Amino acid sequence: MCCGETEAAAAAARGPPPHVALLSSPGMGHVAPLAELARRLHDAHGFTVTVLTYASSDSAAQRAFLASLPPAVGAASLPAVPLGDLPAGAAIETLLSVEAQRSVPALTAVLSGLKSTTNLVAFVADLFGADTLRAARDAGVPGYLFFPSNLLMLSLMLHLPRLDAEDAAEFRDLPGPVRLPGCVPVPGADILQPLQDRASDAYRWMVHHGERYRDAAGILVNTFDAVEPGAAAVLRQPEPWRPPVYPIGPVTRQATDGAAADATGCIDWLDAQPERSVLFVSFGSGGALSTAQTRELARGLELSGHRFLWVVRSPSDGGANPGESYYDGSRSKDDPRRFLPPGFAERTKALGHVVPSWAPQTRVLAHRATKAMLTHCGWNSVLESLAAGVPMIAWPLYAEQRENAVMLCEETKVALRPEVGGSDGCLILAGDIAEVVKEMMDGEKGEAARAKVAELKAAAASGLEPGGASYETLAKVVSDWKAASGSS
């Protein structure tokens, strides 16, 4: 028997590779880390994977991104479900939750089909998919959750049903900070945005998810121990009232992803800048400022006198949700540069570069010229910044970003936060922006943040290597999946 025949016989004896189905909530901020987890399961552990998405999130950009994954990682979209009966202006949390709940019958059929055609060993849904665990149970496979945020946010969700029952006050009205085991204390006003109105549907849905999380066989979390060591020490310990918690991060896109094309000119511009001289300013795919705040930021960057690369989006005024483009992360319809102060581009052309709507963020953060990032504190961006060793100026906008900012500034010590002023108490003024930029780029606090983030960069890299904490944690989960299914 020749070598090729021997290998084929051995493969046949081993049987089909283990398969896992991953379900992402709508929005590239959810799809990207889950797809990267799929890549890791394939590359490091030999899995085949199906990444499932919802019809509502379908877009050319998402399809292209999923098509770029290895051939062993397939993708499929669940059929559309009716959402037209929901109130106009329903919160994003409500839309995501209802869509997941109404998709359970179709998902059950998909999982049953995968079980008959692949060696399906597990199903994993992300944070808004707790109700879809019913589909895994009905299909006869273990159901897990992938939590794309941090342990602080997960701890809040796990304790939320108790907090809801014990105190009827709004979080913003609490006399002291919210204290969760092992976590940094968080002022009530900085708690997750959907929880700031107990009468809202969004609040009730978040409490519901906190209750349903207990149905999971385990919760994979996109973080690593060194970022929040107190919370990691607590949540790594088994408790009878909650599933096991597995920190497996950072799960982020690589700096080489999409390296072939950069129509924005960002990388060419950075190539011409001195080493560690540029502040990267980006509020993510869904973040937008008001017109007034956009102009204050422009003036602040100009006043600072430092080099900057700014991904500017069209403003969102009139009380609109700053994450209104959450589902598809689509680019601004108008050229957002027209909202900048008159003459701004000409006056700052020697130091600044402004691009509309999007930039290759992981490549920018990994570039030798990038020294710091001004960020909305979305967790994907935070992890990408930490993995690149780039400290942050925290400018949270919505969702859990204010919590993240508290943790990054008060516990992790890798970020600075500007003062909030203005006549309405919610505008960050140009002078305060310039001050925090100067401190980050030249000051002692900025230097301390850079030293700390360098430690975390090393911890993140070593944790993902064989023998590292995150690698071995995921390996333990994989081993459990294989053992439960009888896979080798």
Side-chain angles (χ1 to χ4, degrees), residues 140-165:
V141 293
Y144 285 69
L145 289 173
F146 174 71
F147 200 76
S149 188
N150 47 51
L151 295 176
L152 169 61
M153 175 64 180
L154 176 60
S155 185
L156 175 64
M157 291 297 294
L158 291 171
H159 288 276
L160 186 56
R162 174 184 61 80
L163 295 172
D164 175 65

Side-chain angles (χ1 to χ4, degrees), residues 215-451:
D215 297 337
I219 304 176
L220 314 178
V221 190
N222 193 11
T223 192
F224 56 106
D225 294 34
V227 180
E228 34 189 345
V234 170
L235 289 172
R236 278 189 178 273
Q237 297 300 313
E239 290 284 355
W241 61 274
R242 60 163 170 79
V245 173
Y246 304 104
I248 62 166
V251 181
T252 61
R253 283 181 280 188
Q254 304 304 305
T256 53
D257 288 353
D262 174 28
T264 67
C266 291
I267 304 304
D268 288 342
W269 184 82
L270 286 169
D271 287 343
Q273 308 309 311
E275 187 164 347
R276 297 290 177 263
S277 64
V278 174
L279 174 68
F280 177 46
V281 181
S282 175
F283 294 93
S285 60
L289 306 176
S290 67
T291 300
Q293 187 63 86
T294 298
R295 290 173 177 164
E296 287 293 324
L297 176 53
R299 284 189 280 267
L301 292 173
E302 184 177 355
L303 282 172
S304 77
H306 282 278
R307 287 179 171 82
F308 63 87
L309 170 59
W310 182 7
V311 183
V312 66
R313 297 180 62 85
S314 293
S316 176
D317 289 314
N321 186 338
E324 60 189 0
S325 59
Y326 179 92
Y327 263 83
D328 60 11
S330 60
R331 300 188 181 190
S332 304
K333 295 178 181 178
D334 301 319
D335 187 344
R337 290 171 292 195
R338 70 185 181 88
F339 294 97
L340 299 176
F344 172 79
E346 180 65 24
R347 293 193 304 272
T348 61
K349 64 181 181 181
L351 293 177
H353 185 59
V354 177
V355 296
S357 306
W358 183 87
Q361 180 163 296
T362 52
R363 294 180 65 195
V364 170
L365 289 170
H367 198 281
R368 58 161 185 80
T370 302
K371 188 173 186 177
M373 179 183 187
L374 191 157
T375 174
H376 63 308
C377 299
W379 194 242
N380 287 337
S381 290
V382 167
L383 288 178
E384 289 170 0
S385 197
L386 294 176
V390 174
M392 289 159 273
I393 295 174
W395 190 314
L397 297 179
Y398 62 99
E400 87 288 10
Q401 294 163 13
R402 294 175 69 92
E403 291 177 21
N404 295 345
V406 171
M407 183 183 73
L408 295 169
C409 295
E410 303 299 328
E411 179 182 20
T412 314
K413 307 289 188 182
V414 294
L416 305 180
R417 195 168 177 178
E419 295 292 330
V420 178
S423 58
D424 58 0
C426 62
L427 198 67
I428 303 177
L429 300 176
D432 294 318
I433 295 166
E435 182 178 343
V436 75
V437 170
K438 290 176 181 178
E439 181 60 39
M440 173 57 75
M441 301 299 278
D442 290 333
E444 292 182 3
K445 293 179 181 178
E447 187 59 36
R450 271 185 292 283

